[in-house]
Amino acid sequence: LVSALERELSAGDEAAYEACLLSFLLLSHTVARSLSHRPETAHYSGPAHVLHLIDYLQQHLCDEELPSLEELADRSGYSVRSLTAHFRKCTGMSIVQFVRQRRLEKACYFLRHTDMNITEIALSSGFNSLPYFNKVFRAHLGITPSAYRESVR
């Protein structure tokens, strides 16, 4: 494509120049859009079944209940042990740690960028109760959700 654009530009024709410029802008826009909409798995490499699981977990983080490890393994066609080993190798953490970390990231986003109350944030981030959310948040970030919100605003 670049070679074709160069050939057109070397012709010296103003219409060819405008066509090349338009083609380049469309190409740049397409590349930028594809990079900004990369799936979560773009950060990971590994077996397809693990990458599909990461996508699935990302899409269902806030579901009231995620499937059990046994159900996830059955869906992937692997044993629980094999699936969890591949997942840990790919992400550096267990499936439970991954889900918890992503939920906390979502909660932090809500705390920084919304006026939702803490209970709404807990539930919207996939935590089933405010006390559990507060406990996990404090254990991982060292401060309460309210203190975090105050520190980032």
Side-chain angles (χ1 to χ4, degrees), residues 58-71:
Q58 281 293 124
Q59 293 171 15
H60 297 279
L61 275 179
C62 298
D63 289 0
E64 287 201 23
E65 264 190 57
L66 287 173
S68 68
L69 288 176
E70 291 77 14
E71 291 169 326

Side-chain angles (χ1 to χ4, degrees), residues 26-114:
L26 287 171
L27 176 65
S28 299
H29 178 71
T30 302
V31 169
R33 273 193 19 211
S34 70
L35 291 176
S36 68
H37 291 95
R38 292 182 308 176
E40 185 60 34
T41 56
H43 302 293
Y44 303 103
S45 62
H49 67 281
V50 173
L51 299 179
H52 290 300
L53 177 57
I54 290 169
D55 281 340
Y56 175 84
L57 292 172
Q58 281 293 124
Q59 293 171 15
H60 297 279
L61 275 179
C62 298
D63 289 0
E64 287 201 23
E65 264 190 57
L66 287 173
S68 68
L69 288 176
E70 291 77 14
E71 291 169 326
L72 293 172
D74 285 344
R75 282 184 182 180
S76 70
Y78 289 83
S79 68
V80 170
R81 182 180 175 132
S82 178
L83 181 64
T84 56
H86 285 269
F87 192 91
R88 184 178 294 276
K89 185 176 181 183
C90 184
T91 65
M93 61 187 95
S94 72
I95 294 171
V96 171
Q97 290 168 326
F98 179 87
V99 169
R100 186 180 303 127
Q101 178 181 323
R102 292 295 188 250
R103 286 177 171 172
L104 286 170
E105 288 169 1
K106 189 170 196 129
C108 287
Y109 177 85
F110 287 143
L111 288 164
R112 283 191 312 273
H113 300 289
T114 73

